[in-house]
Amino acid sequence: MIEMRVAGIALDAMSRTPVILLRDTTDRRQVPIYISREQANSIIAVLENQPAPRPLTHDLFVNLLDEWDMTLERVVIHSLQDNTYYALLTLSRGEIRRELDSRPSDAIAIALRLDAPIWVMEEVIAEASIPVDRDADEAETQAFQAFLANLNPSDFIQRGKSSTSNDPLESSDS
């Protein structure tokens, strides 16, 4: 799993649908998740510290957790199936820990309100992420290719073998 943070909300140029952008802590990868306008408004309200006059649904959930002395330990976006993301809220109360299925947009809105970490499974990142810093990605790829180009088979030969071998395939009978 890779920890991500909310980089912001954008609008898809074609559909004008809100997209939440999750970015890894190295600012190298970004995962776009399409969300509803209502979810976008709820997330923007937290990002911009705009309190609602009355508790919104996510605020109500946070209040409920607080009243029942529960903690949101983390959010995990664990899979992507048919262009739909799936998330879990990991909740705890004392020693009791439960995972609750959630839409990622709801999970993120709640995590932001509680300052809980947001994690994304590496498989999801591999499938859905877009590079943020293409130049850094290209430089890393070129450095790795140069490393591979300079490798020799002799680099893999073990140097300075000991005369006392524990290898059962080596026979001491000559």
Side-chain angles (χ1 to χ4, degrees), residues 4-10 19-33 85 120 124-133 137:
M4 307 287 273
R5 60 179 167 67
V6 174
I9 303 275
V19 180
I20 188 162
L21 302 170
L22 297 179
R23 191 172 290 171
D24 68 10
T25 56
T26 64
D27 288 332
R28 297 286 300 279
R29 294 273 172 237
Q30 188 163 270
V31 175
I33 301 175
Y85 291 90
V120 180
V124 173
I125 292 172
E127 185 175 343
S129 72
I130 53 176
V132 175
D133 188 347
D137 284 348

Side-chain angles (χ1 to χ4, degrees), residues 50 91 124 136 169 174:
Q50 297 173 352
L91 303 168
V124 173
L169 298 178
S174 297

Side-chain angles (χ1 to χ4, degrees), residues 2-154:
I2 297 174
E3 188 168 7
M4 307 287 273
R5 60 179 167 67
V6 174
I9 303 275
L11 284 177
D12 179 89
M14 299 293 285
S15 67
R16 307 296 293 165
T17 302
V19 180
I20 188 162
L21 302 170
L22 297 179
R23 191 172 290 171
D24 68 10
T25 56
T26 64
D27 288 332
R28 297 286 300 279
R29 294 273 172 237
Q30 188 163 270
V31 175
I33 301 175
Y34 285 79
I35 60 177
S36 72
R37 291 193 184 283
E38 293 79 17
Q39 300 289 20
N41 288 337
S42 180
I43 291 168
I44 289 169
V46 175
L47 294 175
E48 295 180 355
N49 287 326
Q50 297 173 352
R54 300 275 303 141
L56 300 173
T57 305
H58 300 117
D59 301 316
L60 178 63
F61 190 87
V62 167
N63 292 342
L64 178 71
L65 291 177
D66 187 48
E67 280 297 313
W68 285 84
D69 202 25
M70 298 175 77
T71 302
L72 175 61
E73 291 183 3
R74 66 183 179 185
V75 165
V76 177
I77 299 173
H78 62 86
S79 65
L80 174 60
Q81 300 169 16
D82 299 322
N83 294 321
T84 301
Y85 291 90
Y86 293 83
L88 291 171
L89 299 169
T90 302
L91 303 168
S92 64
R93 183 175 183 203
E95 296 298 315
I96 299 170
R97 181 172 285 115
R98 298 282 188 263
E99 289 185 331
L100 188 63
D101 185 35
S102 175
R103 294 185 306 180
S105 55
D106 289 323
I108 292 166
I110 294 166
L112 288 172
R113 284 167 168 77
L114 293 170
D115 199 28
I118 301 167
W119 295 84
V120 180
M121 297 297 289
E122 291 182 36
E123 299 83 23
V124 173
I125 292 172
E127 185 175 343
S129 72
I130 53 176
V132 175
D133 188 347
R134 290 187 191 277
D135 293 336
D137 284 348
E138 181 62 29
E140 186 175 284
T141 300
Q142 287 177 357
F144 184 66
Q145 288 173 342
F147 168 75
L148 291 177
N150 292 322
L151 276 180
N152 294 314
S154 62

